[in-house]
Amino acid sequence: MIDTPVAQTDVDSLTEEEARGELKRLAAEIAEHDRRYHQEDDPVISDADYDALRQRNARIEARFPALVLGESPSSQVGAAPASGFGKITHRVPMLSLDNAFSDDDVREFVGRVRRFLKFDPLQGVLAVTAEPKIDGLSLSLRYEGGVLVYAATRGDGTTGENVTVNARTIGDIPARLSGDVPDVVEVRGEVYMAHKDFQALNERMEANGGKVFANPRNAAAGSLRQLKSEITASRPLRFFAYAWGEMSALPEDTQFAMAECLGRWGFQINPLMKRCESVEELLAVYHRIEESRAQLDYDIDGVVYKVDRLDLQERLGFVSRSPRWAIAHKFPAEQAYTILNDIEIQVGRTGALTPVAKLEPITVGGVVVSNATLHNEDYIKGIGQDGEPLREGKDLRVGDTVRIQRAGDVIPQIVDIDLEKRPADAKPYEFPTVCPACGSHAVREENEKTGRVDAIRRCTGGLICPAQATEKLKHFVSRNAFDIEGLGDKQVDAFYQEKLVTTPAEIFTLEERDKQSLTKLRNREGWGAVSAKNLFGAINARRSIDLNRFIFALGIRHVGEGNAKLLARAYGSWDAFYQAMQAARDPNGEAWAELNDIDGVGHIVAEALVEFFAEAHNREQLDKLLAQVSPKDAEKIEASGSPVAGKTVVFTGSLEQMTRDEAKAMAERFGAKVSGSVSKKTDLVVAGPGAGSKLKKAAELEVDVISEDDWFDLVGA
Ligand code: IVH
């Protein structure tokens, strides 16, 4: 179970400290959703909810640029590859697209592009292409000498899975390209499943007693990532080409002509693609495509716009995870009415009581929906962040007819209530004040500093709460933590109930105890000699583990995967980390200051860490665990790579070879931080003609000053 978001404070009223905590929380939450979506093909929130999380993250980052995390979601795409397939590092990263949700967002996009390029109408029209955004999964195909050498999924954008054997079974993917083709060609596009093929496949799966797929996207993803290529071959997958990665030569100089060229080489390109010369034309294409959506035999979730001229694309470049020259204009979410049958309370690993709406199943946009997120008790009452009314303040009651919305995937949102249909005996929902799993009091803590009451009610049962304990164990063995195969949610629940495994350390003593036990695992229901042996093997394989995984597995509040990596890199070894966490209890000491100084680790995380390690019981558990498991030392990473990595650079004066935005983007690409003013922290000033006071200040502070040409020499661009 994923911990749901806490009630949201308006971004504009967040204090710096709250923002820091929020960014951490959002990073962890987004990473978890990425993992579920990309690795497990099993998302638990709607695309719209996911987009909202990313937007909030981006808005907070825009307000507090200094707090942007090293592992910010805005610089990451998708999730690291799942095990089972070989890995392929993309020579050109596979990026994502920024989203637009309204006509105004599109106007702003075009305006932004023009400003960045200083492209005024006198220079002619700025052509932009528009094409459907296919709701499938992206694939990169590498051809050498015109022959397919490999196919890789996007993975985390840098490294994907090698699915070559499977990709070869897809009819739309040519094994050999036609015509005159450059030596190296990487074609990128979307693997998808047509509606009629999806229905036929599900009917076939159902007839064979198998599980059916929720939607064509999941079916396409599940089919492509089969370890047995015969299965992929039996699944009707298709492919649209729309982009490229490495190319030894570019045969054309516009996006549109490149798409036509991909068509000549033997790919399917989308017939609805158009080249437009104004925003109004782009929007007209968008609305036309939206109208034709119901008639298309495949799912699309928006329209992608791309600056047509490739030289302009090159100048525009990228901003963290997405190109500046493209944007996805998303379709509005689909909606439907249904009945709220019940509200179920789930207890998470940190004791958070999370309400989930149980809905009368209904089909929205081709998918059956029966659950919706309810976030917290205020949300049910119709109270939003900062006490603002939600759904015009209407509270949710069991029996209500509700309007739900989903944008692409599984768990949707309740956006409104039809009060006219409310049953006469419907009562306001009473949120439990005791934990449904252990009966302990469940409380809403008050934040000492802000005086605000937390939106989340938490069980105070701690260790005695079976729900918290099992959720903690599930987290401990999860894929990004200890990743113990064969120890899934079902097994953890069963082992816990039988008191075989109640703490992480007991996972590692299971085999020894099993040897002495009369009721051996292999004789239990659902187990056999092979599965028991495999489980013990999988457990033993984790007796040595990366430090960051170990830290993440501990489930310390606010310490997600990103923070765990930062901590592992900063301290290098478990012993150093552990000692530092003990020493950091002294708020005037060096260890506390050092912990807070780690780039990306804020006050809230630091406090959570100190609190965790101060607890005798946690230390006791750790001792037991460390008797079984050894965390491997981590590589201490200092900023490396380019000569300006980690440096703070100031650009001043008029630059002649690039715009200010381009200069900033370039510096960031090489790992530098760009600042607007010269201070003691400045490492380098790049000065063009007409530089004034900043140059003087640089001289005063003895900061290195170089010319624009020197800059290009330095970074080797
Ligand atoms: S262009 C550098 N065009 O949308 C960006 N992407 O949200 C290259 N997608 O990762 C992507 N249809 O998987 C592009 N016509 C289209 C697309 C498309 C679907 C997917 C693609 C991408 C994701 C971004």
Side-chain angles (χ1 to χ4, degrees), residues 397-582:
R397 301 184 186 186
V398 171
D400 268 343
T401 296
V402 293
R403 183 150 58 92
I404 58 165
Q405 167 176 298
R406 72 172 273 278
D409 271 299
V410 186
I411 298 192
Q413 259 178 312
I414 293 180
V415 285
D416 200 10
I417 302 164
D418 186 346
L419 288 185
E420 284 182 14
K421 299 213 172 110
R422 172 168 281 176
D425 59 349
K427 290 187 192 59
Y429 180 72
E430 275 191 41
F431 203 92
T433 51
V434 292
C435 171
C438 70
S440 304
H441 282 296
V443 298
R444 291 175 66 169
E445 286 164 15
E446 188 174 315
N447 183 316
E448 281 168 29
K449 283 174 198 135
T450 61
R452 238 182 254 151
V453 175
D454 194 352
I456 301 281
R457 194 173 278 281
R458 282 178 205 278
C459 160
T460 53
L463 283 174
I464 67 141
C465 177
Q468 283 190 56
T470 48
E471 290 305 317
K472 280 199 172 91
L473 282 168
K474 286 173 195 170
H475 170 78
F476 185 87
V477 298
S478 65
R479 204 195 290 257
N480 295 337
F482 266 70
D483 190 20
I484 299 182
E485 223 173 272
L487 201 47
D489 289 1
K490 233 172 62 196
Q491 292 79 8
V492 169
D493 282 332
F495 287 172
Y496 186 87
Q497 251 172 26
E498 296 178 37
K499 302 219 170 354
L500 273 178
V501 174
T502 60
T503 63
E506 284 173 5
I507 295 171
F508 294 92
T509 57
L510 187 63
E511 188 176 11
E512 266 321 295
R513 286 181 287 130
D514 195 61
K515 281 184 190 150
Q516 280 136 38
S517 168
L518 296 176
T519 50
K520 298 217 185 298
L521 187 60
R522 62 168 184 263
N523 300 327
R524 284 169 186 262
E525 209 188 303
W527 292 88
V530 175
S531 52
K533 186 167 158 262
N534 286 348
L535 175 64
F536 296 140
I539 292 172
N540 289 331
R542 295 290 180 269
R543 286 187 187 271
S544 163
I545 184 146
D546 290 340
L547 180 58
N548 57 309
R549 279 178 176 266
F550 186 85
I551 296 173
F552 173 60
L554 299 178
I556 303 168
R557 242 170 118 180
H558 306 298
V559 180
E561 256 190 288
N563 281 326
K565 279 189 192 155
L566 293 175
L567 292 163
R569 280 181 202 163
Y571 293 100
S573 72
W574 170 259
D575 287 342
F577 173 59
Y578 187 78
Q579 275 163 24
M581 293 308 104
Q582 294 296 324

Side-chain angles (χ1 to χ4, degrees), residues 537-668:
I539 292 172
N540 289 331
R542 295 290 180 269
R543 286 187 187 271
S544 163
I545 184 146
D546 290 340
L547 180 58
N548 57 309
R549 279 178 176 266
F550 186 85
I551 296 173
F552 173 60
L554 299 178
I556 303 168
R557 242 170 118 180
H558 306 298
V559 180
E561 256 190 288
N563 281 326
K565 279 189 192 155
L566 293 175
L567 292 163
R569 280 181 202 163
Y571 293 100
S573 72
W574 170 259
D575 287 342
F577 173 59
Y578 187 78
Q579 275 163 24
M581 293 308 104
Q582 294 296 324
R585 279 160 83 171
D586 172 5
N588 301 315
E590 240 172 65
W592 170 250
E594 266 171 30
L595 175 59
N596 280 275
D597 273 354
I598 298 173
D599 223 1
V601 171
H603 201 65
I604 295 178
V605 180
E607 265 178 5
L609 281 161
V610 169
E611 221 170 85
F612 179 89
F613 286 94
E615 185 74 56
H617 158 79
N618 288 337
R619 292 202 304 273
E620 209 177 285
Q621 288 289 332
L622 273 170
D623 286 347
K624 288 190 181 147
L625 182 59
L626 287 159
Q628 304 292 332
V629 174
S630 325
K632 287 187 256 189
D633 286 356
E635 202 182 323
K636 274 197 164 198
I637 297 186
E638 312 292 346
S640 64
S642 86
V644 295
K647 300 254 161 75
T648 301
V649 181
V650 174
F651 290 93
T652 181
S654 54
L655 301 174
E656 289 166 333
Q657 300 168 53
M658 50 188 172
T659 65
R660 200 49 75 78
D661 283 343
E662 278 178 290
K664 181 164 187 284
M666 186 175 184
E668 284 169 355

Side-chain angles (χ1 to χ4, degrees), residues 77 93-99 131-139 154 189-190 242-243 255 301 304 306 318 321-323 325-326 328 330:
V77 185
M94 286 183 83
L95 297 156
S96 190
L97 291 171
D98 216 1
N99 291 325
E131 66 196 282
K133 182 169 187 298
I134 317 296
D135 197 8
L137 69 155
S138 47
L139 192 65
R154 181 169 67 172
E190 204 84 354
Y242 51 65
Q255 183 74 34
D301 57 351
V304 181
K306 300 171 186 169
F318 298 84
R321 66 182 191 111
S322 20
W325 45 264
K330 292 292 205 69

